[in-house]
Amino acid sequence: MYFTQIAVLALAAISVTHASPISSRENDRPDEMVYLINCDRFQGDSKTPNGIKDQFLYFEDLEKSLSDGRGGIARAIAGDNGRHDGMYSHIDWTLAKEDTPLHAEFPQGEFKVWGLAEKGDPKTNITGVAELGGRDFRCYDWPRFHLSQNGGGVIKYSCTARYMCFRAERLVRQTKFNVFDTTITIPISGGADMKEKDTRILDDVKAAFHKLEQAAADNTGDTHGYQIGDSDFNLYFDIERAETPKDAHYDPNRIKNIAKMLADNLAPELYKNQTIRNCRASIIGLDPICEHRISWPAKIKVQVQFATQALQNWVDQDIITIRVGRDPAKVDTSCKKTESSAAVLSGLFNAGGALTGGVASAVSMGLGGVFGGVAIGTCEFAKTKNN
Ligand SMILES: *[C@@H]1O[C@H](CO)[C@@H](O)[C@H](O)[C@H]1NC(C)=O
Ligand SMILES: *[C@@H]1O[C@H](CO)[C@@H](O)[C@H](O)[C@H]1NC(C)=O
């Protein structure tokens, strides 16, 4: 069984419940793709091109092709559509129509492409339609990137990938880190004085996020708290996963990757902005003990989602909610609205590689494109729920 666009649409409509696991499509190539590239030919060290070679490049798997940089497994010269407006002019891809497609032969079958606009659809970036060996493809005007090829001897090609065409039903993955705009002040005790930070506090903050892995292993749900440093505050993890280890594309490292993403992105910023208070001497001759106050997001919601690339109909697959709570015997009054801090923290997740944003396969491992977002929280909620 595999997802058709209609099946995925139906799932989107009922996305209050979770999406089913992504099924296996053995003997299929769900991530096969074709680049449409414009290449200029250069001889020796010359900076002036002395020819062109516009081509189609076939890859069985986008991620593999991006990671090994060359890995193309088939190449075909793009059929000339006869338009030349200079000595060395590139193919005008936009001239191809359904009855006059550009085409090439690959071992995988005949490739045909048409309807390529300058600019793609604003929501999906789709521009144009293709077929390979009779299977439906959609082409995208993003991302454009540069690659170079050796032409043998002194010949080099400098190329720009202009369009990329994927299977029409290809599934993509993304992971969103929503940081709520409420924070709770968490005092952790450590050494150093008012001016100096204690790097053990950074380890405590990181360790708290890594407890997500422990929580997933313990499987005790959001009722069990995991202490933050030596404070009387805990993190509570609610972990809902749609896939189990017996599903075809189950990713055993997903929770670990999410914990790492949280620790690597948030911990240094939270640590950097701590305030140090109430230092008092411990034992004569040793460092004083201080209160290191960390302004911690009251709640973070992580959504692992997938969609049909051509439809951008994102459906939640896994949802992990992390909230801060205090020892139930003690009242927390530190919760406050902090929109600017949530914007800064969520922004830290947006620095991921542009190339995989929105195009990462849902059937391979990893989090896919990673994004941050700001979610609206209320302190009343944090108090009634946590105290
Ligand atoms: C569309 O392209 C823009 C860049 O031109 C990119 O930022 C955006 O993520 C793309 N959207 C999708 C759905 O791939
Ligand atoms: C940390 O402090 C800097 C400097 O005051 C500020 O610009 C930044 O927004 C703060 N970060 C957070 C997460 O509040």
Side-chain angles (χ1 to χ4, degrees):
M1 184 223 150
Y2 61 91
F3 282 109
T4 62
Q5 294 181 21
I6 290 161
V8 173
L9 271 177
L11 283 169
I14 52 153
S15 68
V16 274
T17 61
H18 278 194
S20 312
I22 293 169
S23 42
S24 169
R25 292 186 282 187
E26 262 103 358
N27 307 319
D28 197 357
R29 293 181 297 271
D31 292 319
E32 66 179 349
M33 51 115 24
V34 177
Y35 285 118
L36 278 52
I37 67 175
N38 290 134
C39 299
D40 289 311
R41 178 185 193 272
F42 292 89
Q43 188 139 11
D45 292 330
S46 170
K47 301 262 180 288
T48 317
N50 71 350
I52 56 161
K53 191 169 87 177
D54 295 340
Q55 332 165 36
F56 300 114
L57 282 186
Y58 171 90
F59 292 89
E60 195 166 296
D61 181 319
L62 171 69
E63 262 116 298
K64 282 203 196 105
S65 81
L66 292 177
S67 63
D68 64 21
R70 43 186 83 220
I73 68 162
R75 165 177 299 143
I77 304 298
D80 190 337
N81 59 7
R83 172 155 151 180
H84 295 276
D85 48 14
M87 191 158 44
Y88 302 120
S89 65
H90 291 287
I91 286 180
D92 184 347
W93 305 102
T94 66
L95 291 181
K97 301 282 174 273
E98 188 165 2
D99 51 354
T100 55
L102 288 159
H103 55 94
E105 273 305 324
F106 283 117
Q108 294 75 15
E110 190 191 11
F111 180 72
K112 289 195 264 187
V113 58
W114 67 91
L116 294 162
E118 243 336 288
K119 197 102 207 79
D121 175 272
K123 180 167 174 251
T124 61
N125 290 341
I126 289 182
T127 173
V129 179
E131 260 177 43
L132 175 62
R135 293 184 297 272
D136 261 357
F137 279 62
R138 295 289 175 274
C139 302
Y140 300 81
D141 76 337
W142 175 88
R144 291 181 193 192
F145 65 94
H146 190 261
L147 58 156
S148 53
Q149 263 177 24
N150 261 321
V154 293
I155 306 295
K156 278 192 240 62
Y157 292 96
S158 170
C159 311
T160 305
R162 180 64 183 83
Y163 298 98
M164 337 166 65
C165 305
F166 291 98
R167 295 278 282 269
E169 79 276 19
R170 180 175 189 259
L171 296 176
V172 289
R173 182 186 317 289
Q174 69 179 19
T175 302
K176 272 187 163 171
F177 290 82
N178 306 286
V179 179
F180 281 68
D181 63 353
T182 41
T183 51
I184 290 178
T185 304
I186 299 181
I188 305 175
S189 50
D193 57 28
M194 305 286 266
K195 291 184 284 309
E196 257 184 81
K197 294 174 180 174
D198 179 344
T199 54
R200 282 172 300 178
I201 303 295
L202 177 59
D203 297 338
D204 283 348
V205 176
K206 284 190 174 164
F209 287 117
H210 281 292
K211 285 188 184 148
L212 169 61
E213 290 172 63
Q214 185 63 43
D218 294 346
N219 200 20
T220 46
D222 131 294
T223 50
H224 183 76
Y226 293 82
Q227 196 183 10
I228 301 172
D230 69 348
S231 73
D232 54 18
F233 287 83
N234 294 321
L235 287 184
Y236 294 85
F237 301 96
D238 183 37
I239 302 168
E240 299 174 54
R241 295 198 68 175
E243 286 174 316
T244 64
K246 64 181 178 5
D247 291 312
H249 297 288
Y250 178 78
D251 180 352
N253 292 318
R254 184 167 298 159
I255 294 291
K256 190 173 160 189
N257 288 336
I258 289 172
K260 186 171 174 355
M261 207 39 100
L262 289 164
D264 290 356
N265 284 303
L266 299 184
E269 180 72 14
L270 298 182
Y271 171 72
K272 191 184 86 187
N273 282 22
Q274 67 181 291
T275 53
I276 302 173
R277 296 280 165 80
N278 301 337
C279 294
R280 60 199 148 76
S282 49
I283 300 167
I284 311 289
L286 292 183
D287 283 345
I289 300 286
C290 302
E291 204 177 276
H292 297 252
R293 295 186 179 179
I294 310 279
S295 181
W296 202 294
K299 199 165 163 185
I300 297 167
K301 183 173 164 190
V302 184
Q303 293 164 281
V304 182
Q305 305 178 309
F306 72 95
T308 303
Q309 181 174 12
L311 300 176
Q312 296 289 306
N313 51 345
W314 294 98
V315 179
D316 285 334
Q317 189 175 38
D318 298 336
I319 301 179
I320 293 159
T321 310
I322 303 160
R323 64 178 176 89
V324 174
R326 198 177 190 189
D327 178 330
K330 295 177 182 162
V331 176
D332 172 47
T333 53
S334 72
C335 181
K336 58 174 190 283
K337 281 289 240 189
T338 44
E339 288 90 349
S340 63
S341 147
V344 169
L345 294 175
S346 65
L348 299 172
F349 293 100
N350 292 331
L355 268 183
T356 54
V359 298
S361 169
V363 300
S364 66
M365 300 292 120
L367 300 178
V370 168
F371 304 89
V374 174
I376 309 298
T378 58
C379 283
E380 284 70 28
F381 173 80
K383 274 183 203 153
T384 51
K385 188 90 202 262
N386 299 334
N387 295 306

